[in-house]
Amino acid sequence: DQQVKQNSPSLSVQEGRISILNCDYTNSMFDYFLWYKKYPAEGPTFLISISSIKDKNEDGRFTVFLNKSAKHLSLHIVPSQPGDSAVYFCAALTGANNLFFGTGTRLTVIP
Amino acid sequence: EAQVTQNPRYLITVTGKKLTVTCSQNMNHEYMSWYRQDPGLGLRQIYYSMNVEVTDKGDVPEGYKVSRKEKRNFPLILESPSPNQTSLYFCASSLDRNNEKLFFGSGTQLSVL
């Protein structure tokens, strides 16, 4: 059973606008969350993370929000740029060091 | 350049023929792991290793073996590949167990006929 879910397989956004990628999880034991970005023919690269004791973490144009009560996190990209077009995976980590990935969302930023 | 190197990049084989996908990192990372990526299923962890001679099963370990005899290398072994192991495989490493900033290799596309 998928413990980390990304229900939107794809998302298209105009350049300069906000991109919001969503992720839901089912396991309340997850204590660390991460977002990875993947370009074609490359491995995923780490983007941003958040500890379960926080509700927001910001790094430049990227902000991750965590709503523990709803078991939901989201990645905001503002402003979106064509170079942000990629597949984005959210991931969640348990204290036992098991890392679970979502199915990914393909973001297309239209110039 | 800091990197995780996987070989081969592409591999086509037949059912039952043993194969090894190599993985090497030059960052002196303690933690290494293998994932497979399948459509609609995302990335699933196969095996991981916290340090030399320490390996553990991930989410989907059946049909795979690993070894960690040296810190830098973490090969993935398929003793008797089957078609359901056709997938895109990624090796990854990180400095420690928290998995933050996992560094991934470029992937190995395996097809088992």
Side-chain angles (χ1 to χ4, degrees), chain A residues 2-70:
Chain A
Q2 198 77 23
Q3 297 192 47
V4 179
K5 299 177 184 179
Q6 294 175 258
N7 292 318
S8 298
S10 62
L11 174 68
S12 291
V13 172
Q14 283 294 134
E15 181 178 3
R17 307 293 286 267
I18 184 172
S19 295
I20 301 176
L21 295 94
N22 294 305
C23 180
D24 297 294
Y25 61 95
T26 57
N27 189 342
S28 58
M29 299 302 292
F30 289 140
D31 57 9
Y32 206 80
F33 302 89
L34 309 96
W35 284 93
Y36 285 84
K37 176 179 177 179
K38 183 183 180 302
Y39 291 118
E42 295 182 12
T45 54
F46 170 79
L47 187 58
I48 192 169
S49 61
I50 187 168
S51 166
S52 61
I53 62 173
K54 295 186 175 182
D55 55 19
K56 177 183 175 181
N57 188 26
E58 192 171 352
D59 183 2
R61 296 186 297 114
F62 302 91
T63 303
V64 56
F65 296 92
L66 175 63
N67 182 334
K68 283 186 69 177
S69 60

Coordinates of all heavy atoms in Angstrom, one line a residue, chain A residues 2-70:
Chain A
Q2 N 0.5 2.2 -0.8 CA 1.4 3.4 -1.0 C 1.2 4.3 0.3 O 0.1 4.8 0.5 CB 0.9 4.1 -2.2 CG 1.9 5.2 -2.8 CD 3.0 4.5 -3.6 OE1 2.9 3.4 -4.1 NE2 4.1 5.3 -3.6
Q3 N 2.3 4.5 1.0 CA 2.2 5.3 2.2 C 2.4 6.8 1.9 O 2.1 7.6 2.8 CB 3.3 4.8 3.2 CG 3.1 3.4 3.7 CD 4.0 3.1 4.9 OE1 4.1 3.8 5.8 NE2 4.6 1.9 4.8
V4 N 3.0 7.1 0.8 CA 3.2 8.5 0.4 C 2.5 8.6 -1.0 O 2.9 7.9 -1.9 CB 4.7 8.9 0.3 CG1 4.8 10.3 -0.1 CG2 5.3 8.6 1.7
K5 N 1.6 9.6 -1.1 CA 0.8 9.6 -2.4 C 0.9 11.0 -3.0 O 0.8 12.0 -2.3 CB -0.6 9.3 -2.1 CG -0.9 7.9 -1.6 CD -2.4 7.7 -1.2 CE -2.5 6.3 -0.6 NZ -4.0 6.1 -0.3
Q6 N 1.1 11.1 -4.3 CA 1.0 12.3 -5.0 C -0.1 12.1 -6.0 O 0.1 11.3 -7.0 CB 2.4 12.6 -5.7 CG 3.5 12.9 -4.7 CD 4.8 13.1 -5.4 OE1 5.7 12.2 -5.3 NE2 5.0 14.3 -6.0
N7 N -1.2 12.6 -5.8 CA -2.4 12.3 -6.5 C -2.5 13.0 -7.9 O -3.3 12.6 -8.7 CB -3.6 12.6 -5.7 CG -3.8 11.7 -4.5 OD1 -3.6 10.5 -4.6 ND2 -4.1 12.3 -3.4
S8 N -1.6 14.0 -8.1 CA -1.6 14.6 -9.4 C -0.4 14.2 -10.2 O 0.7 14.5 -9.9 CB -1.5 16.2 -9.2 OG -2.7 16.6 -8.6
P9 N -0.6 13.4 -11.3 CA 0.5 12.9 -12.0 C 1.2 14.0 -12.8 O 2.4 13.9 -13.1 CB -0.1 11.9 -13.0 CG -1.5 11.7 -12.6 CD -1.9 12.8 -11.7
S10 N 0.5 15.1 -13.1 CA 1.1 16.2 -13.9 C 0.4 17.5 -13.5 O -0.7 17.6 -13.0 CB 0.9 15.9 -15.4 OG -0.5 15.9 -15.7
L11 N 1.2 18.6 -13.8 CA 0.8 19.9 -13.5 C 1.4 20.9 -14.5 O 2.6 20.8 -14.8 CB 1.2 20.3 -12.1 CG 1.0 21.7 -11.6 CD1 -0.5 22.0 -11.5 CD2 1.7 22.0 -10.3
S12 N 0.6 21.8 -15.1 CA 1.2 22.8 -16.0 C 0.9 24.1 -15.5 O -0.2 24.4 -15.0 CB 0.5 22.6 -17.4 OG 0.9 21.4 -18.0
V13 N 1.9 25.0 -15.5 CA 1.8 26.3 -14.9 C 2.5 27.3 -15.9 O 3.5 27.0 -16.5 CB 2.5 26.3 -13.6 CG1 2.7 27.7 -13.0 CG2 1.8 25.5 -12.6
Q14 N 2.0 28.5 -16.0 CA 2.6 29.6 -16.8 C 3.9 30.1 -16.0 O 3.9 30.2 -14.8 CB 1.7 30.7 -16.9 CG 0.6 30.6 -18.0 CD 1.1 30.4 -19.4 OE1 0.7 29.6 -20.1 NE2 2.0 31.3 -19.8
E15 N 4.9 30.4 -16.8 CA 6.1 31.0 -16.3 C 5.8 32.2 -15.5 O 4.9 33.0 -15.8 CB 7.0 31.4 -17.4 CG 8.4 32.0 -16.9 CD 9.3 32.3 -18.1 OE1 8.9 32.1 -19.3 OE2 10.4 32.8 -17.8
G16 N 6.4 32.3 -14.3 CA 6.1 33.5 -13.4 C 5.1 33.3 -12.4 O 5.0 34.0 -11.4
R17 N 4.2 32.3 -12.6 CA 3.1 32.0 -11.7 C 3.6 31.0 -10.6 O 4.7 30.5 -10.6 CB 1.9 31.4 -12.4 CG 1.4 32.2 -13.6 CD 0.9 33.6 -13.1 NE -0.4 33.5 -12.5 CZ -1.6 33.6 -13.2 NH1 -1.6 33.8 -14.5 NH2 -2.7 33.5 -12.6
I18 N 2.7 30.7 -9.6 CA 3.1 29.8 -8.6 C 2.8 28.4 -9.0 O 1.8 28.1 -9.6 CB 2.3 30.2 -7.3 CG1 2.8 29.3 -6.1 CG2 0.8 30.1 -7.5 CD1 2.3 29.7 -4.8
S19 N 3.7 27.5 -8.7 CA 3.4 26.0 -8.8 C 3.2 25.5 -7.4 O 4.0 25.7 -6.5 CB 4.6 25.3 -9.5 OG 4.8 25.8 -10.8
I20 N 2.2 24.7 -7.3 CA 1.9 24.0 -6.0 C 1.8 22.5 -6.2 O 0.9 22.1 -6.9 CB 0.6 24.5 -5.3 CG1 0.7 26.0 -5.1 CG2 0.4 23.8 -4.0 CD1 -0.5 26.7 -4.5
L21 N 2.7 21.8 -5.6 CA 2.7 20.3 -5.8 C 2.3 19.8 -4.4 O 2.9 20.2 -3.4 CB 4.1 19.8 -6.2 CG 4.5 20.3 -7.6 CD1 5.4 21.5 -7.5 CD2 5.3 19.1 -8.3
N22 N 1.4 18.8 -4.4 CA 0.9 18.3 -3.2 C 1.3 16.8 -2.9 O 1.6 16.1 -3.9 CB -0.6 18.3 -3.2 CG -1.1 19.8 -3.2 OD1 -0.8 20.5 -2.3 ND2 -1.9 20.1 -4.2
C23 N 1.3 16.5 -1.7 CA 1.7 15.2 -1.3 C 0.9 14.8 0.0 O 0.8 15.6 0.9 CB 3.2 15.2 -1.0 SG 3.9 13.6 -0.5
D24 N 0.4 13.6 0.1 CA -0.3 13.1 1.3 C 0.4 11.8 1.8 O 0.9 11.1 1.0 CB -1.8 12.8 0.9 CG -2.5 14.0 0.5 OD1 -2.7 14.9 1.3 OD2 -2.9 14.1 -0.7
Y25 N 0.3 11.7 3.1 CA 0.9 10.4 3.6 C 0.0 9.8 4.6 O -0.9 10.5 5.2 CB 2.3 10.8 4.2 CG 2.3 11.7 5.4 CD1 2.2 11.3 6.7 CD2 2.4 13.1 5.1 CE1 2.3 12.2 7.7 CE2 2.4 14.0 6.2 CZ 2.3 13.6 7.5 OH 2.3 14.5 8.5
T26 N 0.2 8.6 4.9 CA -0.7 7.8 5.8 C 0.0 7.5 7.1 O -0.7 7.2 8.1 CB -1.2 6.6 5.1 OG1 -0.1 5.8 4.8 CG2 -2.0 6.9 3.9
N27 N 1.3 7.4 7.2 CA 2.0 6.9 8.4 C 2.3 8.0 9.3 O 3.1 8.9 9.0 CB 3.3 6.2 7.9 CG 3.9 5.4 9.0 OD1 3.7 5.7 10.2 ND2 4.8 4.5 8.7
S28 N 1.7 8.0 10.5 CA 2.0 9.1 11.5 C 3.4 9.0 12.1 O 3.8 9.9 12.8 CB 0.9 9.1 12.6 OG 0.9 7.8 13.2
M29 N 4.1 7.9 11.8 CA 5.5 7.8 12.3 C 6.5 8.5 11.5 O 7.7 8.6 11.8 CB 5.8 6.3 12.4 CG 4.9 5.5 13.3 SD 4.9 6.2 15.0 CE 6.6 5.8 15.5
F30 N 6.1 9.0 10.3 CA 7.1 9.8 9.5 C 7.5 11.0 10.3 O 6.7 11.8 10.8 CB 6.5 10.2 8.2 CG 6.3 9.1 7.2 CD1 5.1 9.0 6.4 CD2 7.2 8.1 7.0 CE1 4.9 8.0 5.5 CE2 7.0 7.0 6.1 CZ 5.8 7.0 5.4
D31 N 8.9 11.2 10.3 CA 9.3 12.4 11.1 C 10.2 13.3 10.3 O 10.7 14.3 10.8 CB 10.1 12.0 12.4 CG 11.3 11.0 12.1 OD1 11.6 10.9 10.9 OD2 11.8 10.5 13.0
Y32 N 10.3 13.0 9.0 CA 11.1 13.9 8.1 C 10.6 13.8 6.7 O 10.3 12.7 6.3 CB 12.6 13.5 8.2 CG 13.6 14.6 8.0 CD1 13.9 15.5 9.0 CD2 14.2 14.7 6.7 CE1 14.8 16.5 8.7 CE2 15.1 15.7 6.5 CZ 15.4 16.6 7.5 OH 16.3 17.6 7.3
F33 N 10.5 14.9 6.0 CA 10.0 14.9 4.7 C 10.9 15.6 3.7 O 11.5 16.6 4.1 CB 8.6 15.6 4.7 CG 7.6 14.9 5.6 CD1 7.5 15.3 6.9 CD2 6.8 13.9 5.2 CE1 6.7 14.7 7.8 CE2 5.9 13.3 6.1 CZ 5.9 13.7 7.4
L34 N 11.0 15.1 2.5 CA 11.9 15.7 1.5 C 11.2 15.8 0.2 O 10.3 15.0 -0.1 CB 13.1 14.7 1.4 CG 13.9 14.3 2.7 CD1 13.4 13.0 3.2 CD2 15.4 14.3 2.4
W35 N 11.7 16.7 -0.6 CA 11.3 16.8 -2.0 C 12.6 16.6 -2.9 O 13.6 17.2 -2.6 CB 10.7 18.1 -2.3 CG 9.3 18.3 -1.8 CD1 8.9 18.8 -0.6 CD2 8.1 17.9 -2.5 NE1 7.5 18.8 -0.5 CE2 7.0 18.2 -1.7 CE3 7.8 17.3 -3.8 CZ2 5.7 18.0 -2.0 CZ3 6.5 17.1 -4.1 CH2 5.5 17.4 -3.3
Y36 N 12.4 15.8 -3.9 CA 13.4 15.6 -4.9 C 12.9 16.0 -6.3 O 11.7 15.9 -6.6 CB 13.9 14.1 -5.0 CG 14.7 13.7 -3.8 CD1 14.2 13.3 -2.6 CD2 16.1 13.7 -3.9 CE1 15.0 13.0 -1.5 CE2 16.9 13.4 -2.8 CZ 16.3 13.0 -1.6 OH 17.1 12.7 -0.6
K37 N 13.8 16.4 -7.1 CA 13.5 16.8 -8.5 C 14.3 15.9 -9.5 O 15.4 15.6 -9.2 CB 14.0 18.3 -8.6 CG 13.8 18.9 -9.9 CD 14.4 20.4 -9.8 CE 14.3 21.1 -11.1 NZ 14.8 22.5 -10.9
K38 N 13.6 15.5 -10.5 CA 14.3 14.6 -11.5 C 14.1 15.1 -12.9 O 12.9 15.2 -13.4 CB 13.7 13.2 -11.3 CG 14.4 12.2 -12.2 CD 13.8 10.8 -12.1 CE 14.5 9.8 -13.0 NZ 14.5 10.2 -14.4
Y39 N 15.2 15.3 -13.6 CA 15.2 15.6 -15.0 C 15.3 14.3 -15.8 O 15.8 13.3 -15.2 CB 16.3 16.5 -15.4 CG 16.2 17.9 -14.9 CD1 17.2 18.4 -14.0 CD2 15.2 18.7 -15.2 CE1 17.1 19.7 -13.5 CE2 15.1 20.0 -14.8 CZ 16.0 20.5 -13.9 OH 16.0 21.8 -13.4
P40 N 14.8 14.2 -17.0 CA 15.0 13.0 -17.8 C 16.4 12.5 -17.9 O 17.3 13.3 -18.0 CB 14.4 13.4 -19.2 CG 13.5 14.6 -18.9 CD 14.1 15.3 -17.7
A41 N 16.6 11.2 -17.9 CA 17.9 10.6 -18.0 C 18.9 11.0 -16.9 O 20.1 10.8 -17.0 CB 18.6 10.9 -19.4
E42 N 18.4 11.5 -15.8 CA 19.2 11.8 -14.7 C 18.6 11.2 -13.4 O 17.4 10.9 -13.4 CB 19.4 13.3 -14.5 CG 20.1 14.0 -15.6 CD 20.3 15.5 -15.3 OE1 20.0 15.9 -14.1 OE2 20.7 16.2 -16.2
G43 N 19.4 11.0 -12.4 CA 18.9 10.6 -11.1 C 18.2 11.8 -10.4 O 18.5 13.0 -10.7
P44 N 17.4 11.5 -9.4 CA 16.7 12.6 -8.6 C 17.8 13.4 -7.9 O 18.8 12.8 -7.5 CB 15.8 11.8 -7.7 CG 15.6 10.5 -8.3 CD 16.9 10.2 -9.0
T45 N 17.5 14.6 -7.7 CA 18.4 15.5 -6.9 C 17.6 16.1 -5.7 O 16.4 16.5 -5.9 CB 19.1 16.6 -7.7 OG1 18.0 17.3 -8.4 CG2 20.0 16.0 -8.7
F46 N 18.2 16.2 -4.6 CA 17.6 16.7 -3.4 C 17.2 18.2 -3.6 O 18.0 19.0 -4.2 CB 18.5 16.6 -2.2 CG 18.0 17.3 -1.0 CD1 17.0 16.8 -0.2 CD2 18.6 18.6 -0.6 CE1 16.6 17.5 0.9 CE2 18.2 19.3 0.5 CZ 17.2 18.7 1.3
L47 N 16.0 18.6 -3.2 CA 15.6 20.0 -3.4 C 15.4 20.7 -2.0 O 16.0 21.7 -1.8 CB 14.3 20.0 -4.1 CG 13.7 21.3 -4.6 CD1 14.7 22.0 -5.5 CD2 12.4 21.0 -5.3
I48 N 14.6 20.2 -1.2 CA 14.3 20.8 0.1 C 13.7 19.8 1.0 O 13.1 18.8 0.6 CB 13.3 22.0 -0.1 CG1 13.2 22.9 1.1 CG2 11.9 21.5 -0.6 CD1 12.5 24.2 0.9
S49 N 13.8 20.0 2.3 CA 13.3 19.1 3.3 C 12.7 19.8 4.5 O 12.8 21.1 4.6 CB 14.4 18.2 3.9 OG 15.4 19.0 4.5
I50 N 11.9 19.1 5.3 CA 11.3 19.7 6.5 C 11.2 18.6 7.6 O 10.8 17.5 7.3 CB 9.9 20.3 6.1 CG1 9.4 21.1 7.3 CG2 8.9 19.3 5.7 CD1 8.2 22.0 7.0
S51 N 11.5 19.0 8.8 CA 11.3 18.2 9.9 C 9.8 18.2 10.4 O 9.2 19.2 10.2 CB 12.2 18.6 11.1 OG 11.8 18.0 12.3
S52 N 9.4 17.1 11.0 CA 8.0 17.1 11.4 C 7.7 18.1 12.6 O 6.5 18.3 12.9 CB 7.6 15.7 11.9 OG 8.5 15.3 13.0
I53 N 8.7 18.6 13.2 CA 8.5 19.6 14.2 C 8.3 21.0 13.7 O 8.0 21.9 14.4 CB 9.6 19.6 15.3 CG1 11.0 20.1 14.6 CG2 9.8 18.3 15.9 CD1 12.1 20.3 15.6
K54 N 8.4 21.2 12.4 CA 8.2 22.5 11.8 C 7.0 22.4 10.9 O 6.5 21.3 10.5 CB 9.4 22.9 10.9 CG 10.7 23.1 11.8 CD 11.8 23.6 10.9 CE 13.0 24.0 11.7 NZ 14.1 24.5 10.9
D55 N 6.5 23.6 10.5 CA 5.4 23.6 9.5 C 5.7 24.3 8.2 O 4.9 24.3 7.3 CB 4.1 24.2 10.1 CG 4.3 25.6 10.7 OD1 5.4 26.2 10.3 OD2 3.5 26.1 11.5
K56 N 6.9 24.9 8.2 CA 7.3 25.6 7.0 C 8.8 25.6 6.9 O 9.5 25.8 7.9 CB 6.8 27.0 7.0 CG 7.1 27.9 5.8 CD 6.6 29.3 6.1 CE 7.0 30.3 5.0 NZ 6.5 31.6 5.2
N57 N 9.3 25.5 5.7 CA 10.8 25.6 5.4 C 10.9 26.3 4.0 O 10.3 25.8 3.1 CB 11.5 24.3 5.5 CG 13.0 24.5 5.4 OD1 13.5 25.5 5.8 ND2 13.7 23.5 4.9
E58 N 11.7 27.3 4.0 CA 11.9 28.1 2.8 C 13.3 28.1 2.3 O 14.2 28.2 3.1 CB 11.4 29.5 3.1 CG 11.2 30.4 1.9 CD 10.5 31.7 2.3 OE1 10.1 31.9 3.5 OE2 10.4 32.6 1.4
D59 N 13.5 28.0 1.0 CA 14.8 28.1 0.4 C 14.7 28.7 -0.9 O 14.4 28.1 -1.9 CB 15.4 26.7 0.3 CG 16.8 26.7 -0.2 OD1 17.4 27.8 -0.5 OD2 17.4 25.6 -0.4
G60 N 14.9 30.1 -1.0 CA 14.8 30.8 -2.2 C 13.4 30.7 -2.8 O 12.5 31.1 -2.1
R61 N 13.3 30.3 -4.0 CA 11.9 30.2 -4.6 C 11.1 29.0 -4.1 O 9.9 28.9 -4.5 CB 12.1 30.1 -6.1 CG 12.8 31.3 -6.8 CD 12.8 31.2 -8.3 NE 13.5 30.1 -8.8 CZ 13.0 29.1 -9.4 NH1 11.7 29.0 -9.6 NH2 13.8 28.1 -9.8
F62 N 11.7 28.2 -3.3 CA 11.0 26.9 -2.9 C 10.6 27.0 -1.4 O 11.4 27.3 -0.6 CB 11.9 25.7 -3.2 CG 12.4 25.6 -4.6 CD1 13.5 26.2 -5.0 CD2 11.6 24.9 -5.5 CE1 14.0 26.1 -6.4 CE2 12.0 24.7 -6.8 CZ 13.2 25.3 -7.3
T63 N 9.4 26.7 -1.2 CA 8.9 26.6 0.2 C 8.1 25.3 0.4 O 7.3 25.0 -0.5 CB 7.9 27.8 0.5 OG1 8.6 29.0 0.3 CG2 7.5 27.7 2.0
V64 N 8.4 24.6 1.4 CA 7.6 23.4 1.7 C 6.8 23.7 3.0 O 7.3 24.2 4.0 CB 8.5 22.2 1.9 CG1 9.6 22.4 3.0 CG2 7.7 20.9 2.2
F65 N 5.5 23.3 2.9 CA 4.6 23.4 4.0 C 4.2 22.0 4.5 O 3.9 21.2 3.7 CB 3.3 24.2 3.6 CG 3.6 25.6 3.2 CD1 3.9 25.9 1.9 CD2 3.6 26.6 4.1 CE1 4.1 27.3 1.5 CE2 3.8 28.0 3.8 CZ 4.1 28.3 2.5
L66 N 4.1 21.9 5.8 CA 3.7 20.6 6.4 C 2.5 20.8 7.3 O 2.5 21.7 8.2 CB 4.8 20.0 7.2 CG 4.5 18.7 8.0 CD1 4.1 17.6 7.0 CD2 5.7 18.3 8.8
N67 N 1.4 20.1 7.1 CA 0.2 20.1 7.9 C 0.1 18.7 8.5 O -0.4 17.8 7.9 CB -1.0 20.4 7.1 CG -2.3 20.5 7.9 OD1 -2.4 19.9 8.9 ND2 -3.2 21.3 7.4
K68 N 0.6 18.5 9.7 CA 0.6 17.2 10.3 C -0.7 16.7 10.6 O -1.0 15.5 10.5 CB 1.5 17.2 11.6 CG 3.0 17.2 11.3 CD 3.7 17.1 12.6 CE 3.6 15.7 13.2 NZ 4.4 15.6 14.5
S69 N -1.6 17.5 11.0 CA -3.0 17.0 11.3 C -3.7 16.5 10.1 O -4.4 15.5 10.2 CB -3.8 18.1 12.0 OG -4.0 19.2 11.1
A70 N -3.4 17.0 9.0 CA -4.0 16.6 7.7 C -3.1 15.5 7.0 O -3.5 15.0 6.0 CB -4.3 17.7 6.8

